[in-house]
Amino acid sequence: MSELSGAIPAPAAIEEYHAGGDHPFGLDDVLGRERPLVIRGLVRDWPIVKLARQSDTAFAQRLAELDNGADVSTLMVAPEADGIIGYAADMSDLSYQHFKVPVTLGLQRLASYSRRENAPGLVIQSAPIRDCLPGFLAEHALPFLDPGVEPRLWMGNRVTTPTHFDSQHNIACVVCGTRRFTLFPPEQLPNLYIGPLDFAPTGAAISMARLDQPDDPRYPRLKQALAAAQVAELHPGDAIYMPPLWWHNVESLERLNALVNYWWSPVDVPGYHTGHARAALYHCLLAFRALPPAERANWKNLLDHYVFGDEEAIAHIPEHRRGVLGPLTPETVEQLKQGARLNL
């Protein structure tokens, strides 16, 4: 693709749905659409959201009341990193330090940092709410999700999680502050300059390019990605649905921001886990990366046929003889696991 010249067009707004009215929001509104959706007001009636609209103090006090004292994963971002959860300038290290502290201590530090110039970034990262704020669950739920889908808390000051993707479906609900989501469709991967798979902040491979520096000569194709971007700002009570493998950059814009998210998979087969996909990526790197180009192309053709093809690829095989090519069941999951272990 050729490089874009001139000004980057303003990003498109993410499609919106306004919760309430005669049609209650449900999973049918997102599953199968394969596109992101902003759901305005989805959790506007949550008690914690009503407190956040009163003040940061009211929100923080209630969260501290619910805190059971369990330690949660907390990142402190160096002031010189501009709040970006990423790499040091020379990629010799990460831009943050990792701690484990209770939610209340995190809130106290955030309050202290809000009064300082050039304060560090601080974020409580992916904390399972059942483990640290169990009393939160009774009054805050998404009734259309299976109760087994566990919510997680993300809370901090003005920090940015660079462009990355999730392997599961994701609904993220803003409960305090403001967040700007910039999303890119999966096919923008070549233009996003994703960093190493095995040296990745918080375990997720991220873009090395900053969206606020589109003219960085190290990343000339970033402008092409930005031309395809979709953007939305979410306020307390708003939510966003992000399909698997959509790239997203998340900026927290206030001195106190909090989000509750839910990851889930629609595949309900015992023994299946979405982590299998990441394992398969590593397995493929091991199996195919060193092969000559022609062999890699032939294996790609085989994968396209058997893994990514449709039912037509196996229509000629009687159903009772399709084996691991048939529907995913607990039995075929175990067969596939055994096959994947061969010769390893």
Side-chain angles (χ1 to χ4, degrees):
M1 287 186 288
S2 62
E3 296 177 16
L4 297 182
S5 58
I8 302 169
I14 299 172
E15 184 181 346
E16 295 191 4
Y17 176 104
H18 290 263
D22 297 333
H23 176 59
F25 183 84
L27 274 185
D28 291 343
D29 293 301
V30 291
L31 291 183
R33 61 177 279 113
E34 300 176 355
R35 300 186 310 279
L37 182 70
V38 170
I39 311 127
R40 297 290 182 192
L42 179 66
V43 296
R44 61 173 172 262
D45 294 328
W46 278 8
I48 200 71
V49 170
K50 293 178 179 179
L51 291 171
R53 286 176 172 161
Q54 292 178 24
S55 68
D56 288 352
T57 299
F59 170 87
Q61 287 177 341
R62 179 55 180 155
L63 222 57
E65 291 170 0
L66 294 168
D67 180 18
N68 67 0
D71 286 341
V72 295
S73 181
T74 306
L75 310 182
M76 184 177 294
V77 184
E80 59 270 20
D82 294 334
I84 296 175
I85 302 171
Y87 299 107
D90 61 358
M91 287 192 70
S92 62
D93 203 350
L94 302 173
S95 66
Y96 60 85
Q97 293 179 291
H98 182 260
F99 302 91
K100 282 191 172 264
V101 302
V103 169
T104 300
L105 181 54
L107 286 165
Q108 291 169 350
R109 290 184 178 177
L110 286 167
S112 172
Y113 292 164
S114 71
R115 298 186 289 271
R116 287 173 50 183
E117 293 291 333
N118 198 34
L122 187 141
V123 59
I124 287 173
Q125 188 91 348
S126 190
I129 288 178
R130 187 174 301 279
D131 295 345
C132 59
L133 306 168
F136 183 96
L137 300 174
E139 295 182 317
H140 306 87
L142 294 183
F144 54 83
L145 286 180
D146 186 289
V149 178
E150 296 283 357
R152 292 174 176 266
L153 173 70
W154 309 72
M155 183 172 69
N157 51 12
R158 294 183 178 94
V159 295
T160 296
T161 302
T163 309
H164 64 288
F165 75 84
D166 301 318
S167 60
Q168 299 185 73
H169 296 263
N170 187 3
I171 286 184
C173 308
V174 171
V175 296
C176 183
T178 304
R179 297 204 183 211
R180 179 184 297 122
F181 287 79
T182 304
L183 271 61
F184 302 90
E187 60 267 23
Q188 287 302 315
L189 167 60
N191 300 326
L192 289 169
Y193 297 93
I194 302 303
L197 293 177
D198 54 348
F199 180 53
T202 70
I206 65 166
S207 173
M208 296 166 57
R210 290 180 51 159
L211 302 192
D212 60 346
Q213 297 179 358
D215 294 315
D216 189 326
R218 295 173 296 176
Y219 312 116
R221 296 190 307 276
L222 178 61
K223 289 184 178 180
Q224 296 180 38
L226 289 169
Q230 301 180 31
V231 178
E233 284 193 9
L234 273 62
H235 306 280
D238 295 336
I240 184 170
Y241 165 73
M242 293 177 285
L245 277 66
W246 270 72
W247 299 92
H248 48 284
N249 183 93
V250 186
E251 301 167 79
S252 299
L253 303 179
E254 308 293 344
R255 63 180 184 174
L256 179 61
N257 309 269
L259 176 147
V260 173
N261 94 296
Y262 300 79
W263 281 311
W264 82 95
S265 169
V267 179
D268 185 19
V269 177
Y272 173 83
H273 190 275
T274 54
H276 293 154
R278 180 178 175 87
L281 176 59
Y282 275 78
H283 198 161
C284 286
L285 288 169
L286 176 64
F288 308 128
R289 193 68 173 171
L291 295 178
E295 285 188 53
R296 288 205 308 271
N298 290 338
W299 278 105
K300 180 178 183 297
N301 182 61
L302 205 65
L303 291 170
D304 284 343
H305 182 80
Y306 283 116
V307 179
F308 303 111
D310 55 25
E311 284 291 314
E312 186 177 350
I314 57 172
H316 59 287
I317 304 175
E319 287 188 17
H320 69 282
R321 285 298 183 195
R322 290 180 182 175
V324 296
L325 297 176
L328 199 63
T329 66
E331 293 73 27
T332 55
V333 166
E334 287 307 310
Q335 285 182 270
L336 288 164
K337 286 180 179 179
Q338 289 299 323
R341 293 188 186 108
L342 289 179
N343 301 318
L344 295 182

